[in-house]
Amino acid sequence: MNTLIKRSGLAVAVAGLCLAAGTGYASSHREAPFITEMPKVDGTDFYMFRSYEAGREGFVTLIANYLPLQDAYGGPNYFDLDEDAIYDIHIDNTGNAREDITFRFSFQDVRQDLKIDVNGEMVSIPLKTGAPVGPGAMDDAMNGAIQVRQTYTVDVIRGDRRTGVSQAVTGDGGSPTFSKPLDNIGSKTIENYPAYAQSHVYTANIPGCGTGRVFAGQRAEAFAVNLGEVFDLINLSPEDVTGANGRDLGLNILEGKNVTSLALEVPIDCVASANDPVIGAWTTASVRQARVINPRPVAFEEGDSGKGATVEGGAYTQVSRLGSPLVNEVVIGLRDKDLFNASEPKDDASNFAPYVLTPTLPVLIESLFGVQAPDAYPRTDLVWAFLNGVPDLTRPGGTPTLGEMLRLNTSIEAATSDVAMQDDLGVIAGDVTGFPNGRRPVDDVVDIALRVVMGVLLDEESAPAGQIEYTDGAVVDRDLLLSGFPYLGHPFSGSPNPQRN
């Protein structure tokens, strides 16, 4: 299989996807100047894969992560999403780099003013909860101890995201409203967080698709990266970078961090065209064009969010975008990072082609470590993965429109349901059910990126240093991952304080 993959051009095209690893390697954490000001709508990672939970073989799982670098103890407000934003997962199943199906998540704050009697005066409390929270999702709505929580809706839009036909996804009882669990505040507030979170996994009745599942809530960060050293001009020894000391050097700086996940499991027939099993997908977040600071925020009344600190208005405007991991960090030049976040795949060839054909990362690595960068310009091989898919694997039939997306061949079944047996180097290790054929939580996109961008899949003449086993010394902790939906592990608890350990 390895030989077949390499000679068909499949593995070479992985380089395009991995090119984005760059000197930043945060999959999409604080990647553009403007999005650093709006962490609630900062898309961090996007996973798309054939479901490997037992009995769910006929489904595709989509997971869009937002709000990076969450410290579990970050109270008293913790990490709710923006109720004035929309969070989208877009699917292209016709190869035209335009959305054919969009799944839209919208969040709503639900508040009650909790007061306690202090010397005969009823005074509002400063905390999110005033007592331990019950074990189930149904208890959220009835629990008088929760001062602030969130609900959400999911809509499926067919056609253009702005003008297409929108229909509500509903739960078992026909309600279009789902409950987002509270973040993992601590063991005294929520004694059994895994059970509490699992009660927020809902059946999703998707119009025109059938039945799937949905979950939105805090998860343990699954992305692994040696963030600080990599941003510091890859501040590692040559022995570490070249793999002489092994891959797992315990350098995952994201260990112990949480993230917020929007997870949706959908039937394959819902997203794949009858004519072609390949789909492309990306996530976006959009906010209102106008935001006015309220000089006197109005306190909320019972059941009402009040006027708050800002007043939002105008059309929704896209401020975050994510398809394949790592693209905006270092493929895209600093001057164009905000533009990439505001753009759509159909415009990528005209906006960003030079970044693909003449990538800077190999030259940077050459200057930092003295290894020779590949000499294969223009890098037309990278166009396959970055803009139109890999032949014989993730390229749709016909001649697709160029556009950067994460692509998945839905006809290829998951290799194994055992996370321990999944090869975290994906396609370059012969596992065609891993990245860049979609992306699973276990896939180590940083190490894949380093190796491929330096030419592991090119011939020796074009890439003299291509066979070095580059690594950042951080690997995904498989023990944190779940074997079933929503797949990402339960979030770290804010108390007992993990920093004490």
Side-chain angles (χ1 to χ4, degrees):
M1 180 63 75
N2 269 328
T3 302
L4 174 62
I5 292 168
K6 291 182 180 181
R7 298 191 179 186
S8 69
L10 169 59
V12 174
V14 179
L17 285 165
C18 299
L19 175 61
T23 59
Y25 302 139
S27 193
S28 199
H29 302 64
R30 295 173 52 82
E31 79 289 346
F34 182 59
I35 203 64
T36 62
E37 303 174 23
M38 311 178 77
K40 287 188 174 185
V41 289
D42 185 357
T44 67
D45 285 282
F46 178 43
Y47 302 93
M48 177 171 64
F49 51 92
R50 277 281 298 260
S51 298
Y52 47 84
E53 179 181 348
R56 308 298 290 186
E57 294 81 4
F59 293 83
V60 168
T61 294
L62 311 164
I63 305 174
N65 284 354
Y66 290 90
L67 218 171
L69 306 176
Q70 297 177 16
D71 288 318
Y73 48 82
N77 293 295
Y78 297 95
F79 303 98
D80 289 340
L81 295 183
D82 189 345
E83 67 171 343
D84 291 312
I86 52 176
Y87 301 81
D88 290 345
I89 300 174
H90 307 286
I91 307 291
D92 168 24
N93 59 21
T94 55
N96 65 356
R98 300 172 185 266
E99 65 271 12
D100 296 297
I101 302 172
T102 294
F103 296 102
R104 174 163 295 167
F105 289 73
S106 303
F107 291 82
Q108 303 81 40
D109 291 342
V110 180
R111 299 172 180 267
Q112 56 181 336
D113 185 14
L114 300 185
K115 295 182 165 107
I116 57 175
D117 186 339
V118 182
N119 194 33
E121 181 79 18
M122 297 303 294
V123 183
S124 299
I125 70 171
L127 305 178
K128 202 160 193 173
T129 62
V133 173
M138 293 298 294
D139 290 331
D140 288 352
M142 300 179 291
N143 195 322
I146 301 177
Q147 182 158 233
V148 182
R149 64 186 182 91
Q150 287 195 306
T151 62
Y152 64 97
T153 58
V154 183
D155 294 298
V156 57
I157 304 169
R158 288 182 169 79
D160 186 275
R161 70 181 87 170
R162 300 170 183 86
T163 61
V165 177
S166 177
Q167 296 175 285
V169 175
T170 60
D172 270 339
S175 172
T177 302
F178 305 95
S179 181
K180 175 181 175 288
L182 296 179
D183 293 339
N184 196 356
I185 296 170
S187 58
K188 189 172 184 178
T189 299
I190 306 172
E191 182 178 7
N192 186 343
Y193 195 87
Y196 171 71
Q198 192 62 34
S199 73
H200 291 75
V201 173
Y202 296 96
T203 296
N205 299 305
I206 308 170
C209 287
T211 300
R213 289 184 289 185
V214 66
F215 171 85
Q218 194 178 50
R219 297 282 87 190
E221 175 64 84
F223 182 60
V225 62
N226 183 9
L227 200 58
E229 281 74 13
V230 170
F231 274 126
D232 187 23
L233 297 177
I234 316 181
N235 189 5
L236 299 170
S237 71
E239 292 76 20
D240 286 344
V241 170
T242 58
N245 294 327
R247 288 179 60 207
D248 187 3
L249 304 179
L251 299 178
N252 180 21
I253 197 63
L254 299 186
E255 183 179 358
K257 300 290 186 181
N258 293 328
V259 72
T260 300
S261 298
L262 314 183
L264 187 63
E265 185 186 63
V266 299
I268 292 174
D269 292 344
C270 173
V271 291
S273 165
N275 300 321
D276 198 305
V278 175
I279 60 175
W282 69 101
T283 72
T284 63
S286 302
V287 298
R288 296 289 189 182
Q289 270 187 329
R291 174 171 291 181
V292 179
I293 305 299
N294 187 351
R296 287 185 61 83
V298 178
F300 63 82
E301 303 295 337
E302 195 72 25
D304 177 35
S305 61
K307 297 195 181 299
T310 64
V311 178
E312 316 279 339
Y316 281 109
T317 302
Q318 181 181 310
V319 294
S320 179
R321 170 186 168 191
L322 179 61
S324 299
L326 308 165
V327 169
N328 204 11
E329 277 68 24
V330 290
V331 172
I332 309 301
L334 182 62
R335 55 170 284 173
D336 286 330
K337 289 181 183 295
D338 288 335
L339 173 62
F340 182 86
N341 269 348
S343 65
E344 300 180 29
K346 64 183 178 62
D347 300 317
D348 285 344
S350 59
N351 285 337
F352 309 116
Y355 294 123
V356 181
L357 298 176
T358 51
T360 58
L361 172 60
V363 179
L364 289 170
I365 293 178
E366 179 181 77
S367 67
L368 291 169
F369 293 97
V371 295
Q372 187 171 341
D375 183 14
Y377 301 108
R379 296 292 295 268
T380 53
D381 57 315
L382 303 186
V383 173
W384 291 358
F386 186 77
L387 294 175
N388 67 358
V390 181
D392 302 323
L393 183 70
T394 61
R395 180 179 293 183
T399 305
T401 302
L402 301 181
E404 192 282 309
M405 293 175 278
L406 183 63
R407 290 176 168 89
L408 174 69
N409 189 329
T410 62
S411 69
I412 300 177
E413 295 184 8
T416 175
S417 60
D418 186 353
V419 175
M421 298 301 294
Q422 295 172 357
D423 199 311
D424 64 352
L425 293 179
V427 170
I428 66 169
D431 183 354
V432 295
T433 66
F435 181 74
N437 182 23
R439 180 187 175 190
R440 304 165 302 188
V442 77
D443 291 332
D444 189 347
V445 294
V446 175
D447 280 10
I448 297 171
L450 280 168
R451 298 180 189 199
V452 176
V453 76
M454 290 304 294
V456 67
L457 305 171
L458 298 175
D459 59 69
E460 186 176 355
E461 181 179 356
S462 299
Q467 297 305 309
I468 295 175
E469 296 181 348
Y470 300 94
T471 181
D472 72 329
V475 299
V476 176
D477 186 348
R478 299 170 190 254
D479 292 338
L480 294 179
L481 302 178
L482 306 179
S483 60
F485 187 83
Y487 293 99
L488 302 187
H490 298 297
F492 292 94
S493 172
S495 169
N497 191 334
Q499 300 302 311
R500 294 175 184 164
N501 299 323

